[in-house]
Amino acid sequence: MRRTRGDEGSITILVIGFAVILLLLVAVVVDVSVVVLARRGSSSAADGAAVAAAQQLDVGVVYDKGLTDAIPLSQDLIDSVVAQYQSDAEQGQPGLVLTPALDAAQTTVTVTATREVRLPFAAWFGVQAVTVTSVAHARAPLVAP
């Protein structure tokens, strides 16, 4: 094979260029995967907390007014259950914050899960963290006897 003048090192430049592109692609895939997994985890935690909270019957209201077409829920019990759920879930998801809310009719629970996720490679470009938020709603079904 005959070399022409000025071709020395061109393969090296191509290999280095492709290696840089490959490393950037790996960094993007890893950062996106971290965000997707954090989103899935926070969504799962919000769903679980909402379902657990939707089972917290306000016994005082039921004794006073009876059951109507909806089950009244207790804000105090909901706060307690969601706080316990957050405490349990926080081991696997550090920084997870679960915030419960009860609607005006006191029958539907909304749990908002918020988590700040540190990105391993995006920090090189000045992006330190991304906030992931998930919302879940739950209502206890009333089953006719």
Side-chain angles (χ1 to χ4, degrees):
M1 181 167 173
R2 206 172 124 176
R3 288 187 181 180
T4 60
R5 194 170 245 238
D7 283 347
E8 294 86 16
S10 61
I11 296 295
T12 304
I13 292 172
L14 283 173
V15 169
I16 290 172
F18 286 135
V20 168
I21 290 171
L22 180 65
L23 289 175
L24 287 174
L25 287 174
V26 167
V28 167
V29 167
V30 168
D31 283 348
V32 168
S33 296
V34 166
V35 171
V36 167
L37 289 174
R39 168 96 172 152
R40 183 179 290 173
S42 68
S43 179
S44 176
D47 287 343
V51 168
Q55 298 174 11
Q56 304 309 311
L57 174 68
D58 191 343
V59 178
V61 172
V62 171
Y63 284 143
D64 289 344
K65 298 179 183 177
L67 281 176
T68 58
D69 61 339
I71 297 176
L73 302 175
S74 168
Q75 182 69 52
D76 293 335
L77 292 175
I78 288 170
D79 291 341
S80 173
V81 166
V82 171
Q84 181 61 44
Y85 204 93
Q86 175 179 334
S87 174
D88 294 343
E90 196 171 6
Q91 290 178 349
Q93 301 183 57
L96 178 69
V97 176
L98 297 175
T99 308
L102 191 57
D103 69 340
Q106 294 186 330
T107 58
T108 303
V109 178
T110 301
V111 176
T112 304
T114 306
R115 182 175 174 210
E116 191 170 287
V117 181
R118 297 187 60 80
L119 302 175
F121 293 108
W124 294 348
F125 303 106
V127 179
Q128 296 300 321
V130 173
T131 301
V132 176
T133 303
S134 300
V135 178
H137 306 280
R139 181 176 184 209
L142 183 62
V143 179

